[in-house]
Amino acid sequence: MKFLAITLITDSADPVTGAPTPTRQRFREVVDAAVFAEQLGFDGFGVGERHERPFLSSSPPVVLSHIAALTRRIRLFTAVTTLSLLDPVRAYEDYATLDHLSDGRLELMIGKGNGTGLRELFQVTPEDQWERNSESYELFRRLWREDKVTARPRFRPELTAAEALPRPFQRELRVWHGSATSWESVDLAARHGDPLFSANVTHPIGPYAELIRHYRERWEHHGHDPAHAVVGAGTAGYHAAPTSQRAVAAYRPAFARYLAFHEQLGAAPVFPTLEDFVERSSALIGSPQQVIEKVHRYHEEFGHTVLHLQAEPGGLTHAEHRASLELFQSQIAPVLRREIPDPPFSDL
C-alpha cells in the first residue's frame, strides 16, 4: 500500500490562540508539511484546488512547483484539478511545465469540482460541469500525447494544428479521477483505463463502496484487465496515539471545528458526535492497531491500494499532528505496506 499526504490549504485560525493565520504563513506551513512528508517517507503529497472560502488553494501548479524545488523523491499530486473550470490548453501548459520542474514527479488528479462559489466565479452550471470536465479531459489528453492538435470543442475556441509548449517530461502522464458521488467521473476513468480516487470523507462507507464497484464493472466492460484497476481512498481525519483514549481526547478540538464548519454552512453534520465520527466515518483515530484494523475493514470493501491522510493539523496542534504522522510511519505504515498490495506502478 502507498500513502499520500494531502492539503486543501484552508484559511484557518491558530488552533491554540484562535488568531487568524497570515496567508503568507499558511503557504509556508504547506511547503513545510510537504518537506516533512518526504522526510517521513510518504509516497506522495497533494494540493487541492478550490476557488472559494475558506480555501487558499486556487493555484496548485504554483504551490507544487515551489514544493518541487525543495524535494527530490515524493510524487506531487493535485487533489483535484478542476478541469471543468479551466481552459485545457492553459492547464496543459501549467502542468507540463511543472512536470519538467519536478523531474517527472507529477500525478494529476482531476474532478469537476463542487460548491456554489466556484460556479458563480467561473459562470458554470451544475448541468454543464460534467460535460466541461469530460471535454476538457479529452482535449488535455490529446495535448499531452500529440505534438499538434486539431479540435472543435464546445466550451473553448477551436484548435487548428495547435502546438502547446513545452512538450511534457512524462510522455504518459498518470491521471487519477477524483470522485465523491459522481458516476460520470467513474465512467470517464473506467473508459480511459485510469485509476480512481474515492474522496471517502463525507459519508459512511456505503455510497463510496457502490461507486467503486461500479468503476470495476465499467472497467471490465471497456475491456481492461481487472487486475489493473487501481483505487485510492481518502480519510475524513487522522490522529493516532499510543492509546485510543489519548487519540480521541486529542482529536476533540478538531471535531469541534468539523461541527462549527457545518453550522457555518447551515447543514446538519453527518456524524453528530465524535464517537459516531470515529466509528462510522473513514477517519482513522485511535491506537496504531485500531488504525490498522480499520484500514483493513475498508480495504475489504474498496480493494484500494493507495490511502491519503491529512497533511496538516486541522484543529490539532502542529506538535500533536507531527507526532501522529511520525507514529503512522513508524508503526502503522510498515504493517499496511506488508499486508496490503501496492498499485501496479513502479514509480509511485
Side-chain angles (χ1 to χ4, degrees), residues 10-328:
T10 54
D11 186 10
S12 58
D14 186 284
V16 177
T17 67
T21 304
T23 299
R24 178 173 175 271
Q25 181 179 332
R26 281 295 295 119
F27 283 120
R28 289 189 176 276
E29 290 171 350
V30 169
V31 173
D32 289 346
V35 172
F36 186 60
E38 179 171 84
Q39 292 170 349
L40 286 180
F42 278 87
D43 302 288
F45 188 88
V47 173
E49 181 180 333
R50 300 291 189 279
H51 297 274
E52 58 191 320
R53 291 186 184 275
F55 305 106
L56 302 173
S57 49
S58 59
S59 187
V62 176
V63 178
L64 289 172
S65 290
H66 189 67
I67 292 171
L70 300 175
T71 57
R72 291 293 176 268
R73 175 196 57 79
I74 200 165
R75 303 288 292 180
L76 303 176
F77 282 72
T78 62
V80 299
T81 294
T82 49
L83 277 181
S84 64
L85 309 178
L86 306 177
D87 181 334
V89 177
R90 191 71 186 95
Y92 165 81
E93 293 171 337
D94 284 343
Y95 285 109
T97 300
L98 170 56
D99 194 37
H100 281 279
L101 292 173
S102 66
D103 295 326
R105 288 184 283 144
L106 174 64
E107 302 264 345
L108 201 67
M109 193 184 301
I110 69 165
K112 64 95 180 172
N114 54 32
T116 57
L118 64 83
R119 289 196 289 267
E120 293 170 356
L121 186 63
F122 287 89
Q123 291 295 295
V124 298
T125 68
E127 293 74 24
D128 71 19
Q129 269 188 279
W130 303 115
E131 295 180 37
R132 288 176 180 271
N133 183 64
S134 178
E135 177 184 283
S136 291
Y137 177 50
E138 300 283 357
L139 188 50
F140 185 96
R141 278 175 60 90
R142 291 191 59 196
L143 290 163
W144 198 277
R145 295 170 178 226
E146 302 174 24
D147 291 336
K148 294 186 178 181
V149 173
T150 296
R152 291 186 176 182
R154 174 184 172 192
F155 295 106
R156 64 143 289 132
E158 67 179 81
L159 300 172
T160 303
E163 183 180 29
L165 299 173
R167 300 310 303 149
F169 183 87
Q170 300 177 88
R171 294 302 294 181
E172 293 292 331
L173 176 67
R174 186 157 53 240
V175 178
W176 301 72
H177 295 248
S179 175
T181 58
S182 164
W183 293 74
E184 288 87 347
S185 292
V186 167
D187 287 336
L188 186 64
R191 184 165 77 249
H192 286 291
D194 294 331
L196 178 72
F197 212 102
S198 171
N200 189 38
V201 297
T202 305
H203 302 284
I205 191 172
Y208 305 111
E210 184 179 4
L211 276 174
I212 291 169
R213 285 193 294 271
H214 179 69
Y215 166 70
R216 295 185 187 279
E217 291 168 1
R218 298 303 296 169
W219 178 277
E220 291 193 53
H221 170 80
H222 288 292
H224 304 301
D225 184 344
H228 295 158
V230 175
V231 174
T235 54
Y238 165 72
H239 186 62
T243 68
S244 61
Q245 293 84 353
R246 286 174 58 182
V248 171
Y251 199 79
R252 286 197 182 278
F255 185 73
R257 291 183 59 174
Y258 165 85
L259 294 178
F261 180 69
H262 282 77
E263 183 177 356
Q264 179 183 351
L265 295 176
V270 176
F271 308 101
T273 68
L274 176 55
E275 291 69 23
D276 188 38
F277 185 71
V278 171
E279 176 63 27
R280 294 196 305 125
S281 83
S282 61
L284 302 175
I285 301 167
S287 67
Q289 186 58 37
Q290 287 173 317
V291 170
I292 290 168
E293 290 172 359
K294 191 168 187 179
V295 172
H296 270 289
R297 290 200 303 272
Y298 273 63
H299 177 71
E300 289 176 4
E301 294 288 338
F302 293 169
H304 61 306
T305 53
V306 179
L307 178 74
H308 96 52
L309 300 182
Q310 286 66 34
E312 297 192 277
L316 300 164
T317 67
H318 283 277
E320 287 172 331
H321 186 60
R322 288 202 165 203
S324 182
L325 291 178
E326 289 172 345
L327 187 61
F328 182 87

